[in-house]
Amino acid sequence: MPIRKLTSCVSEVKGKKLCAKRRNKRGRGSGSRGGCVKLAGTVMHGKLEDGKRVVKGMRSFEEIPHTGRNGWLNLLKFWRENRFQQLHKHMERTFNTLGPIYREKLGTLSSVNIMLPSDVSELFKSEGLHPQRMTLQPWATHREIRNHSKGIFLKNGEEWRADRLQLNKEVMMSAAVKRFLPLLDEVAKDFFQMLQTRMEKEGRGEKGKCVLTIDPSPDLFRFALEASCHVLYGERIGLFSSSPSLESQKFIWAVERMLTTTPPLLYLPPRLLLRMGAPLWTQHATAWDHIFSHAEARIQRGYQRLSTSLDRASPAGTAGSQYTGVLGQLMEKGQLSLDLIKANITELMAGGVDTTAVPLQFALFELGRNPEVQESVRQQVRVSWAQAGGDPHKALQGAPLLKGTIKEVLRLYPVGITVQRYPVRDIVLQNYHIPAGTLVQACIYPMGRSEKVFEDPLRFDPSRWSREEGQRVEAAGFRSLAFGFGARQCVGRRIAESEMQLFLMHILLSFHLSVPSSEDLNTTVTLILQPETPPRITFSKL
């Protein structure tokens, strides 16, 4: 790949200091094993050798340790050994073997993988004004062949930035969070009521001391979909009733099928599979078709409600003094076309079910097998809830251990196991030259479980995040990356964080959690990390 000439953005004095640091580090050895941390930075001074800009003592891109040069043989090995489902473990083993940076080529996809916060920090410094992550080509191909507009998840450049700024106002800004928090709180309270009713019918023990042991995952998926619909469309869909909608259950199944079929399609040309009529592609496209059909029906209903509301001359942003949801807000303001609103609402819906329901499975499990942690979080929640007077925003602000619990769950069980960027300029990671435009993946599953990054990494300790806030930890902001970073972080982050914290708050206020087995959970990767078998949880009425 041709290397663009880079213009220094620092003074000559800083440049000399940087070069001096590099000379000092040369004597520390250039081996890549054992996790030795070496130079990370931007290539700013150097000379051209064989057409490439190098820094004295820096090693070439080709010298980065790798898992094999033939991408197709590597892909075949992945399929034979079922590594796609254990990709997180493969990454962890590879870092232990090759050190904190390695190259991997799978089919048509090549990447550099890193895991240390200092390297991740350097990567994000070079992401540019329009950060770009790996395009999920199967998703993009589906939009193209069905003539659907693309949402911000699949866009790049100025077009992405313009749409993202509009969406941020409705889902990321603090004013927006305060508007949708009561809706999420309402759904969380209703889930608690549903669970209590079920306990009275199915629980064991005397009245008032009932216990209920269940696999809560189906209920958690319904909770996540109900909460997402309430925030995005401003309406409830009744998933906690005795006979929930079959259509909504089909939507959940479609999302699961879409996630399962995505990873194998990342390494093969989707249009070739389309022409071949490959069953894998057919399943993937059919799943997306159902997701779009479900979202289209909800959006049409939302549009009709908004039209009726405007006919009645309601104040802007309200429908009879009621929050109209993200969809209503976007339609009223009219900054995005209806096609773009549909595209982004559909992406938010598809990305807002499994990505909150699955972490809640892990959260219930970890709190259940760590009773002392559970009690400390509960005590803080009780005090905060009593002082908040029913205000969910105040209740969450007064219970930082709830946020710490979510961060700790996502440290050990990140929904997505990597965060990707393409640096816009040449950088140096672990003393290796990384050309601009290279796909670099920050591998956050191995990072979250590494002794080089976290003290006692396998211990579930939500309070570690409160302690870190009072300490100066190197690259601390790059140790928690489950929602990504910066301008391209997860656009649904505030919804997901609030949804999970409110859910746990109401559960802990009313139930004690325990687990029949405290053995570690086996995990697998579809497009997201999830338990191979959902954990069973015992709920005991407090």
Side-chain angles (χ1 to χ4, degrees), residues 77 113 140 311 320 542:
K77 183 184 295 185
N113 294 350
D311 288 343
L542 290 174

Side-chain angles (χ1 to χ4, degrees), residues 109 144 195 267 290 542:
L109 186 68
E144 291 160 7
L195 186 60
Y267 311 101
H290 193 88
L542 290 174

Side-chain angles (χ1 to χ4, degrees), residues 63-312:
E63 292 178 275
I64 299 173
H66 59 82
T67 58
R69 297 186 184 279
N70 190 310
W72 297 109
L73 288 179
N74 292 341
L75 185 61
L76 181 62
K77 183 184 295 185
F78 259 64
W79 271 326
R80 282 179 174 173
E81 299 178 5
N82 205 28
R83 288 192 193 176
F84 286 117
Q85 287 75 23
Q86 293 296 307
L87 184 58
H88 56 310
K89 295 292 187 181
H90 163 77
M91 289 176 171
E92 192 172 37
R93 287 193 300 269
T94 306
F95 281 119
N96 289 337
T97 302
L98 298 181
I101 184 171
Y102 69 91
R103 284 189 294 140
E104 186 145 65
K105 189 169 185 179
L106 293 173
T108 58
L109 186 68
S110 298
S111 68
V112 171
N113 294 350
I114 59 176
M115 60 155 282
L116 294 178
S118 56
D119 290 335
V120 178
S121 171
E122 198 59 44
L123 172 65
F124 283 124
K125 289 177 186 175
S126 65
E127 67 178 4
L129 181 63
H130 304 126
Q132 186 175 350
R133 57 187 175 194
M134 184 177 71
T135 297
L136 296 181
Q137 197 55 50
W139 296 17
T141 300
H142 173 267
R143 307 301 188 272
E144 291 160 7
I145 65 174
R146 296 291 194 264
N147 293 316
H148 291 314
S149 296
K150 294 177 181 177
I152 59 169
F153 194 88
L154 296 172
K155 283 185 174 180
N156 291 300
E158 185 56 44
E159 188 181 20
W160 159 80
R161 184 174 178 82
D163 292 356
R164 175 69 193 236
L165 290 175
Q166 294 303 321
L167 284 171
N168 282 351
K169 297 174 184 178
E170 306 307 329
V171 295
M172 292 291 286
M173 306 297 284
S174 58
V177 174
K178 289 181 180 179
R179 286 196 296 269
F180 62 64
L181 266 181
L183 279 66
L184 294 175
D185 191 48
E186 176 189 322
V187 178
K189 287 178 180 177
D190 286 354
F191 183 92
F192 152 70
Q193 291 293 340
M194 181 197 71
L195 186 60
Q196 182 160 289
T197 300
R198 184 173 178 184
M199 178 175 285
E200 292 171 356
K201 291 181 179 179
E202 304 174 22
R204 294 179 292 105
E206 300 177 9
K207 189 174 182 180
K209 295 183 180 179
C210 285
V211 297
L212 180 68
T213 301
I214 57 172
D215 164 14
S217 59
D219 295 324
L220 294 176
F221 281 106
R222 286 195 288 270
F223 164 75
L225 180 54
E226 185 82 16
S228 293
C229 283
H230 203 14
V231 170
L232 295 178
Y233 304 132
E235 70 169 356
R236 296 291 297 269
I237 58 176
L239 286 177
F240 298 158
S241 68
S242 57
S243 55
S245 162
L246 179 60
E247 184 62 26
S248 295
Q249 186 58 55
K250 287 181 178 178
F251 176 83
I252 294 173
W253 292 334
V255 171
E256 291 174 349
R257 174 57 58 185
M258 177 272 291
L259 293 173
T260 301
T261 54
T262 296
L265 293 170
L266 294 175
Y267 311 101
L268 296 167
R271 289 190 177 274
L272 175 62
L273 297 178
L274 171 64
R275 287 195 292 270
M276 293 170 57
L280 183 64
W281 170 257
T282 301
Q283 292 174 25
H284 184 77
T286 301
W288 268 121
D289 289 344
H290 193 88
I291 291 168
F292 268 83
S293 176
H294 182 275
E296 175 73 19
R298 296 288 169 191
I299 290 169
Q300 285 297 329
R301 280 197 287 272
Y303 182 77
Q304 290 168 5
R305 284 199 315 275
L306 180 62
S307 298
T308 302
S309 172
L310 293 177
D311 288 343
R312 294 172 182 169

